[in-house]
Amino acid sequence: MPRVVIAPDKFKGSLPADGVASALAAGLRHAAADVTVLECPIADGGDGTVAAAVAAGFDRVPVVATGPTGEPVETAYARQGDTAVVELAAVSGLGLLPGGRLAPLTATTLGVGEVIRRALDDGCRHVVLGLGGSSSTDGGAGLVRGLGAHLLDADGGELPPGGAALLRLARLDLSGLRKVEMTVASDVDNPLLGEHGAAAVYGPQKGATSADVELLDRALRQFADVVRAETGVDLATAPGAGAAGGTGFAALAILGATFRPGIDVVLELTGFEDKLGGADLVITGEGSFDEQTLRGKGPAGVAAAAKARGIPVVAVAGRVTLGAEVLAHHGFSAAYSLSEIEPDLARSMARPAELLTRLAARIGAEWLGS
């Protein structure tokens, strides 16, 4: 009886990871009635991280928190025992901007801190914070404010939200800051500042003009300088400090968080290694399978873990731009794309579940001997 582990990430803008897994499972069962399928949807620390934890058995805890531009948003964290999984994208993400209007200078991570505070009030002791998909470049100033910190100007007044306001930061009051044991999960290892930093690399995706990028970089530098002066900690150049508009910086430098690759954390949370026992095949994938996939994205982590156990891995994606030699080098035995079935991108994105089921049936016939 063949045993298959299905561990895909989301097909962004088309189908969440659990929907991808379900569609693939249906196709496999059609091809091989006796197949045992274990569904293990994943994420790399960005959007879908809480959903992956819930699919693995965590409880979903609803929370209302402050959205990226101040409006309340209905969100949630995942809980198991005294561990909470919090996803920045589900509180302060680009997809939560009212009307889709970008706010590169004023968007805030305040709600992320509020969700973490709620988890602490609920009795959680350890927080896994997934970074990715942020709408803000505030260096995580909102995050620490949500946990009780005060960011003050030269006159002692509280700064308004957003990254631009950090230019006027004169002092940090951390006396009321909630303590938290935190692991930051992200596939981004950029520093906070400079040409490879949060503002320069990711600011334009959030609507920042070239002038905005320069302003935000100066504002983040001011934040880093004040943090160093107040705490003696200098982590602006640390890998991951630039993640999620610099939220990684505040988590590392002010909250003392540990930074880890997002996929490693998610695979642990979901018990992926345990699911590999006795597996004959692993199927993973995401919307676009390209060079970015190999740089810390979910499918690359899945392939590495399965390869170490000698289990073949096949990938599914909306499109695949990687050659067979590159795929093999990174642990993939084969890759299948929806574009093979439906070349029209719009139609493919409109009915991904149907196409994935058809593709999985083909995989089952070719890999499970049916």
Side-chain angles (χ1 to χ4, degrees), residues 50 54 60-64 73-78 85-87 90-91 115:
V50 165
V54 171
R60 185 181 185 275
V61 182
V63 184
V64 176
V73 298
E74 294 183 0
T75 184
Y77 73 89
V85 179
V86 178
E87 178 184 315
V91 192
V115 174

Side-chain angles (χ1 to χ4, degrees), residues 289 294 303-304 307 313 315 322-335:
F289 223 72
L294 307 179
K307 182 181 180 181
V313 181
L322 300 172
E325 187 174 336
V326 173
L327 288 166
H329 178 72
H330 289 275
F332 298 98
S333 299

Side-chain angles (χ1 to χ4, degrees), residues 21 23 75 78-79 90 99 142 184 188 295 320 345 354:
T75 184
R79 178 180 183 178
V184 170
V188 169
R295 298 174 185 167
V320 178
L345 178 61
E354 173 196 340

